[in-house]
């Protein structure tokens, strides 16, 4: 029997700008994905609600002051603990 160690998934996100005008396109990118596995699953969220974006980036011109953008990673690595983690907001 081979016992594999638990691994801890994590990720960070960043936006391409911090100061924008209303309806300017803002792009967020997930980076530093650790222990995501060969095919990590990313789900972007605005204010805790899923948006139709599941890739390494998420872009939209429809943000409001105070919106909180995060990215949820579901790891496909062997033995992730936990399997699902969420980035800190940017």
């Amino acid at each position: 029997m081979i016992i594999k160690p638990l691994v801890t998934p994590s990720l960070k996100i960043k936006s391409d700008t911090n100061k924008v005008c209303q309806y300017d396109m803002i792009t967020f990118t997930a980076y530093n994905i650790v222990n995501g596995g060969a095919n990590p699953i990313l789900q972007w969220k605005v204010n805790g609600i899923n948006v139709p974006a599941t890739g390494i980036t998420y872009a939209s011109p429809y943000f409001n002051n105070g919106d909180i953008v995060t990215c949820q990673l579901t790891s496909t690595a062997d033995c992730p603990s936990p399997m699902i983690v969420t980035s800190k907001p940017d």
Side-chain angles (χ1 to χ4, degrees):
M1 175 183 330
I2 297 173
I3 306 292
K4 294 183 178 185
L6 296 176
V7 296
T8 303
S10 65
L11 77 158
K12 295 180 180 179
I13 64 170
K14 63 181 174 183
S15 64
D16 59 351
T17 184
N18 285 327
K19 296 180 182 178
V20 295
C21 295
Q22 189 174 17
Y23 304 119
D24 280 354
M25 183 68 70
I26 303 172
T27 301
F28 290 85
T29 302
Y31 70 103
N32 281 5
I33 298 172
V34 176
N35 295 318
N39 297 301
I41 300 165
L42 299 174
Q43 175 62 62
W44 291 91
K45 297 176 181 267
V46 176
N47 301 323
I49 300 169
N50 290 354
V51 295
T54 57
I56 199 85
T57 62
Y58 165 56
S60 176
Y62 303 111
F63 291 105
N64 297 303
N65 284 331
D67 279 349
I68 298 172
V69 177
T70 58
C71 186
Q72 181 177 285
L73 164 67
T74 301
S75 176
T76 61
D78 290 337
C79 306
S81 179
M83 180 180 281
I84 300 171
V85 294
T86 301
S87 70
K88 292 184 180 178
D90 183 55

